[in-house]
Amino acid sequence: MGATPDLYFFNGILGMNDEPNRMKLQSNGKPTNMQPEYRALLPLWQTYPRQTAVLNIYGDKDDGSHSDGSVSNASSQSLRYLVAGRAKSYQERKIVWANAQHSKLHDNVQVNRVLIKFAGVLFWVNMSTWLNLTIVLLISGNLGFLCWYLSARLGVKSFKGLYFVDDERDREIALRVHNVCLNTFITGICLLMLLVFILMDSGWQLTVSRFGNIILCYLLLMMFGSNCQYYYLWRKYDRA
């Protein structure tokens, strides 16, 4: 958990207004003793965004203090009482041992993995069920239609490896088509990296869900465009 000089979202700091193993939490997460700074945050519950998913990561040095050296676990977990029943979801993850020290959490590999997993799951969870189903159907339908089109309309009888080797002519056409499509794919990946760079450096403060939706739309457009290019090139070279 992070903090600013005037505002933090835990209930006390060790050595300042808290001591190891002193503060306790009630069953609903409410601290038995609230610091003034923490109490001042209570009214914010009424305006806290309901669509927010919260991941609370805190450290435990496993030295008996039940803290990360600066903030007690109970103090860190007091965030639950501030957002419970208001946020869309609330999760806690405790990081244990030496690298769980307060200032080291930012460079902890385990923390990075938890954040990446949380961000990825959050993106898919925030997507509606029909959109998830649509994506699966589009990808499955795309592969099925490609195989049907090549077999029924273009006369390709077998699929082996990257190229179609039913006969020499099909193999020559496939080689030319795949070479062009591969160059287009590489260009698309470069443009995707550029798009990610622009979005991350734009200062738009995009949510994980919105960022993911933009990338998803780009990938769907890329898939649709590559299919159109594939069919066009195959018919073009087939007629040559």
Side-chain angles (χ1 to χ4, degrees):
M1 298 179 60
T4 63
D6 300 315
L7 178 65
Y8 48 78
F9 296 95
F10 39 79
N11 186 36
I13 301 176
L14 298 181
M16 294 179 59
N17 49 13
D18 192 16
E19 298 296 333
N21 302 309
R22 185 179 71 177
M23 191 182 66
K24 305 297 181 182
L25 299 178
Q26 300 178 16
S27 59
N28 61 353
K30 182 179 180 180
T32 55
N33 179 40
M34 294 186 186
Q35 299 298 330
E37 298 85 354
Y38 180 88
R39 190 180 297 275
L41 297 174
L42 294 178
L44 297 179
W45 183 92
Q46 299 179 357
T47 57
Y48 194 82
R50 291 188 179 275
Q51 71 275 17
T52 304
V54 179
L55 173 63
N56 183 10
I57 301 176
Y58 59 95
D60 187 338
K61 295 175 62 178
D62 199 28
D63 58 358
S65 67
H66 298 97
S67 74
D68 61 10
S70 299
V71 181
S72 70
N73 293 165
S75 180
S76 297
Q77 291 175 288
S78 65
L79 173 63
R80 173 191 168 197
Y81 186 70
L82 293 176
V83 301
R86 183 75 185 185
K88 182 176 182 179
S89 64
Y90 175 82
Q91 301 178 46
E92 290 182 351
R93 185 64 181 269
K94 181 169 70 173
I95 308 299
V96 185
W97 295 314
N99 287 335
Q101 195 271 337
H102 190 80
S103 61
K104 294 182 179 180
L105 286 174
H106 303 285
D107 301 318
N108 190 299
V109 175
Q110 188 178 357
V111 171
N112 293 338
R113 291 173 180 171
V114 172
L115 288 174
I116 291 173
K117 182 179 180 180
F118 175 75
V121 171
L122 179 63
F123 166 57
W124 288 106
V125 168
N126 282 345
M127 291 172 59
S128 58
T129 303
W130 69 266
L131 185 55
N132 279 316
L133 181 60
T134 300
I135 293 172
V136 173
L137 291 177
L138 281 174
I139 295 175
S140 302
N142 171 65
L143 295 175
F145 181 76
L146 174 62
C147 294
W148 172 84
Y149 188 84
L150 290 172
S151 178
R153 301 297 299 273
L154 300 179
V156 176
K157 303 302 180 182
S158 63
F159 305 91
K160 298 179 181 179
L162 179 62
Y163 304 116
F164 307 119
V165 294
D166 184 55
D167 58 46
E168 291 295 329
R169 188 170 186 276
D170 280 345
R171 181 166 56 184
E172 181 181 353
I173 294 174
L175 177 62
R176 297 175 66 184
V177 171
H178 289 156
N179 282 340
V180 176
C181 289
L182 183 60
N183 289 331
T184 303
F185 176 77
I186 294 174
T187 301
I189 294 299
C190 293
L191 291 176
L192 174 61
M193 292 188 291
L194 178 62
L195 175 62
V196 171
F197 177 79
I198 293 175
L199 292 176
M200 294 182 66
D201 198 48
S202 62
W204 293 339
Q205 298 182 344
L206 298 174
T207 63
V208 173
S209 179
R210 185 166 299 178
F211 179 86
N213 285 333
I214 293 175
I215 299 302
L216 176 62
C217 288
Y218 176 85
L219 292 175
L220 290 176
L221 288 174
M222 185 176 171
M223 183 179 70
F224 177 77
S226 65
N227 284 340
C228 293
Q229 181 188 39
Y230 194 98
Y231 302 139
Y232 168 76
L233 291 174
W234 192 288
R235 294 181 66 85
K236 175 184 176 180
Y237 295 145
D238 189 43
R239 293 174 179 177

